[in-house]
Amino acid sequence: QVQLQESGPGLVKPSQTLSLTCTVSGGSISSGDYYWSWIRQPPGKGLEWIGNIYYFGNTYYNPSLKSRVSISVDSSKNQFSLKLTSVTAADTAVYFCARTLDGASDAFDIWGQGTMVTVSS
Amino acid sequence: DIQMTQSPSSLSASVGDRVTITCRASQRFSNYLSWYQQKPGKAPKLLIYAASSLQSGVPARFSGNGSGTDFTLTISSLQPEDFATYYCQQSYSTRWTFGQGTKVEIK
């Protein structure tokens, strides 16, 4: 079965760049039936969609984050990655990667366990 | 942007109760609506997609309905493992958004 696992630093300094990687196992990231997403959740708060990427590289970003976000894919490693620049304390959150159904409703059907990222000096 | 407003924000219910959570959108759209369940410290779990389609492996006591601006998630007979926070999510607009969540607690 397909599993997703986030990895990356748990602590990032203000104004620096947050970088996370999601490794997909049990299936190919190049499957045309899905695309791949990042979602975050500040402590004690709700969920915020960050953006999506198709295996061939097309990306879609949350307009509120678009100027700071970049999502890329490495099919050879079965991974996709998130970069968020110029971070502040407001970017402190649990970051989830997820597989997204490409079809009737674009639902997030498989999630990683999440990784906590704290922005602090 | 499409704002998603869930009601209630929280509710207390007993095992065996029928529970309905509502999600209202700020503008009309088709069935690009999903429901998720999240337990503390865990990732959300997909329950319903395309407004009313039950995700594989999800118990049949969960059902989704609605169209336009009003969508509902119903749990026909609440079980102990159903106490959690539930989120709706739209993927119709260019900015996908979630509702603020509904916490279902034990009465």
Side-chain angles (χ1 to χ4, degrees), chain A residues 35 41 45-47 49 52 62-64 96 103-109 111-112, chain B residues 31-34 36 38 42-44 46 49-50 55 87 89 91 94-96 98:
Chain A
Y35 46 105
Q41 185 171 37
K45 296 188 178 180
L47 298 158
W49 169 69
N52 305 327
N62 187 325
S64 68
F96 297 99
S105 73
D106 300 326
F108 306 115
D109 70 329
W111 295 64
Chain B
N31 62 345
Y32 282 75
L33 191 285
S34 305
Y36 302 86
Q38 187 178 32
K42 300 293 187 182
L46 177 64
Y49 64 95
Q55 173 68 351
Y87 294 92
Q89 177 246 330
S91 51
T94 55
R95 179 183 178 184
W96 296 3
F98 290 85

Side-chain angles (χ1 to χ4, degrees), chain A residues 38 51 53 60 73 78 81 83 95 100 105 120:
Chain A
W38 288 98
I53 189 166
Y60 303 88
V73 64
N78 231 30
S81 298
K83 290 189 186 302
Y95 285 76
T100 310
S105 73
S120 175

Side-chain angles (χ1 to χ4, degrees), chain A residues 45-47, chain B residues 4-9 85-88 98-102:
Chain A
K45 296 188 178 180
L47 298 158
Chain B
M4 307 299 291
T5 303
Q6 289 182 231
S7 60
S9 295
T85 300
Y86 294 84
Y87 294 92
C88 62
F98 290 85
Q100 82 278 15
T102 295

Side-chain angles (χ1 to χ4, degrees), chain B residues 29-94:
Chain B
F29 60 89
S30 58
N31 62 345
Y32 282 75
L33 191 285
S34 305
W35 289 96
Y36 302 86
Q37 175 194 68
Q38 187 178 32
K39 296 182 179 178
K42 300 293 187 182
K45 172 187 175 183
L46 177 64
L47 301 175
I48 301 288
Y49 64 95
S52 60
S53 296
L54 189 68
Q55 173 68 351
S56 176
V58 174
R61 63 180 180 273
F62 291 93
S63 63
N65 209 340
S67 63
T69 59
D70 294 322
F71 300 86
T72 58
L73 172 71
T74 298
I75 309 171
S76 60
S77 177
L78 199 64
Q79 298 301 300
E81 60 268 31
D82 300 337
F83 292 95
T85 300
Y86 294 84
Y87 294 92
C88 62
Q89 177 246 330
Q90 65 81 18
S91 51
Y92 181 76
S93 70
T94 55

Side-chain angles (χ1 to χ4, degrees), chain A residues 29 36 53-57 71-75 78-81:
Chain A
I29 202 169
W36 308 91
I53 189 166
Y54 279 95
Y55 74 94
F56 49 83
I71 299 175
S72 60
V73 64
D74 187 337
S75 298
N78 231 30
Q79 295 176 334
F80 63 106
S81 298

Side-chain angles (χ1 to χ4, degrees), chain A residues 74-120:
Chain A
D74 187 337
S75 298
S76 67
K77 295 182 179 179
N78 231 30
Q79 295 176 334
F80 63 106
S81 298
L82 168 71
K83 290 189 186 302
L84 182 65
T85 63
S86 305
V87 297
T88 69
D91 295 309
T92 293
V94 176
Y95 285 76
F96 297 99
C97 59
R99 189 180 79 170
T100 310
L101 295 170
D102 182 13
S105 73
D106 300 326
F108 306 115
D109 70 329
I110 298 177
W111 295 64
Q113 65 185 25
T115 188
M116 180 69 201
V117 178
T118 301
V119 178
S120 175

